[in-house]
Amino acid sequence: MKYQHVLYLICALAFLPLHAQQISSPNQNFTLDFSVEEGKPTYSLSYKGKVLVKPSRLGFELADAEDLTEGFSFEKSETASFDETWKPVWGESSSIRNHYNELLVMLKQETTARMMHIRFRLFDDGLGFRYEFPAQDNLIYFVIKDEKTQFAMNGDHTAWWIPGDFDTQEYNYTKTKISQIKNSVQAALERNGANASMTPISDSTVQTALMLKSDDGMYLNLHEAALVEYSAMHLDFDTQAMTFEAHLTPDAVGNMAYMQAPRNTPWRTIIAGEKAGDILLSNMTLNLNEPTEFEDTGWIKPVKYIGVWWEMITGKSSWAYGDVPSVQLGVTDFENLKPTGRHAANTAHVKAYIDFAAKHGFDQVLVEGWNVGWEDWFGKSKDYVFDFVTPYPDFDVVELREYAKAKGVKIMMHHETSGAIRNYERHMDTAYQFMKANNYNAVKSGYVGDIIPRGEYHYGQWANNHYLYAIDKAKDYQVMVNAHEAVRPTGLRRTYPNLIGNESARGTEYQAFGGNNPDHTTILPFTRLIGGPMDYTPGIFEMDVSKYNPDNNSHVNATIANQLALYVTMYSPLQMAADLPETYEKFLDAFQFIKDVAIDWDETLVLEAEPGDFITYARKAKNSPNWFVGRTNDEEKRSSSIAFDFLSPKTQYIATVYADAADAHYKTNPQAYTITKYVVTSKSKLKQLCAPGGGYAISIVPVTDKSEVKGLQKL
């Protein structure tokens, strides 16, 4: 059912001074106050009478023009209420309620007669606000030098953060008090190690989404929504004032954003709640994005896939076909190039992956390293590095296309750009046409390394415009996009539902580059995933990477049970079984959960959660009575206690629990697991051991035959 109501009041509320405005959330828990004090616009946010965000400044510094920070007078305001329920193309729930009260304030800078509007939307789970520049004579083209939006905190909260960086989010998280961030950034950078492209900002800058917890137990999250034609926002911290301030990603000459009125900025978001699960279940980021204008979305389908990938990440195989220091497209004779014998993307090997996918019910097979140019692809400042259509001599496009088609499997395209964005745009139509002609309907794109042209950053306005251009162009060819190394998501999947995945964080690949912290996946849902799903690539069963490559001594810091749980806790409509087929063949009983787990959902619940410690989700599969539960754990041994009261009453289910064995440990015994079946109902409860770096996964299906429950223990 969809319902909507809009009410406009073009005046200030009668009981407030003319320059002050106030609205409350629909449930009356949140209160927003806005005022113009001595010409300076400010806002504050309260929850049940307690201040969450103290009076905070708003505005911009401009290049070659008077700043938009002061000298404002209040012109008028409009208030509105809005309530609808909409259905996403795919997602964590089959329907989403979008319910808010809105305040639009219209300000005029007296000395310049320029107009700046600020639109606030107050939901039952927090606040979103953005700047709007209407069409006007005195402000048409302008350049933002700095955004001065502030978030003044009401206390020295605990924070889960990564260092501010214009080019990467691929960091492990650090937990400190806000006041300790400044003295901890350098150590965080040193612990993280090198990355293909890193541009740290300062020792007092962090990235969004930023997760916070007050001493009295209030959870807050600072982020942005609908990042379009603008630079990504970081947060500078002032220890004395206990205030975060926006820090936009600059371009090659130091400007933050180029604007032409009428234009809106992205939304600045503050999600808050009394429980950690309130943050995880918020749909505010999605609701602040525009509905999709796609007329046809039937071609957009969630995907479960395997891939020729992990063997290259570990160093067992290679992307490159030949071992030469230099190649040039159109010049190098790849047919006569001596192969190394380690090239993974060859026809016979890919066929084996297709066979495995078909046997176990996977939709697609990702193949990386299939196209010419990988011999010198990275770090050479090459613009014309790939053409995205020419295969190596040992990769037969037509033969593999027909072989996969006969098996009911699709091959997933890979477009690595090496940061050469202009080159990708030159070839994009041809590349998407090639995909369409050869039955590829999904692409993993990559932006490894520094952006070309030099001086531009991964998170700047110029690159952000490109990412959306690629997604919009892909729509014309009915191609789904999974962008790696691109800007972090901000809910744009509502507007562009073919954006089925992003990386934009430290993923599983780093388990082969020295390892991720065991608590990493108990933090990401509170931070990176606030903006959208992540292609985390879970499912590693062989934790000793040296078994694949004797020269790589990395260790995957997780148990097998933990890896299974990630298919539930790390939401994505694009889920990879990332390990090698030969490894899964050794653990087919545990692999069964990966085969069974859904990738699109009717309903999502948070049963337990504390950032950095543990998360337990329950999700109901789309158009199915089946439920799946996942629990991930940090480095401490813990006990999880859950109730099955989310199940339908008077129905019996079989719950298959994939759990850590009693002696399991992510370092010393990661492959120790148990599989136990129980009969459960809505009155059942479970207490389950979680090993250090462990967790559990549960599949829950209704009983269809009484013989199925014979001999099973009842919970």
Side-chain angles (χ1 to χ4, degrees), residues 133-134 139-142 229 258-264:
F133 299 98
L139 188 65
I140 304 175
Y141 292 96
F142 58 104
E229 296 186 14
Y258 297 83
M259 308 289 280
Q260 179 186 357
R263 175 75 64 82
N264 305 327

Side-chain angles (χ1 to χ4, degrees), residues 267-286:
W267 297 90
R268 278 61 188 100
T269 62
I270 305 165
I271 303 171
E274 297 177 15
K275 298 179 293 185
D278 295 338
I279 307 298
L280 299 175
L281 293 176
S282 172
N283 286 309
M284 194 176 81
T285 308
L286 275 178

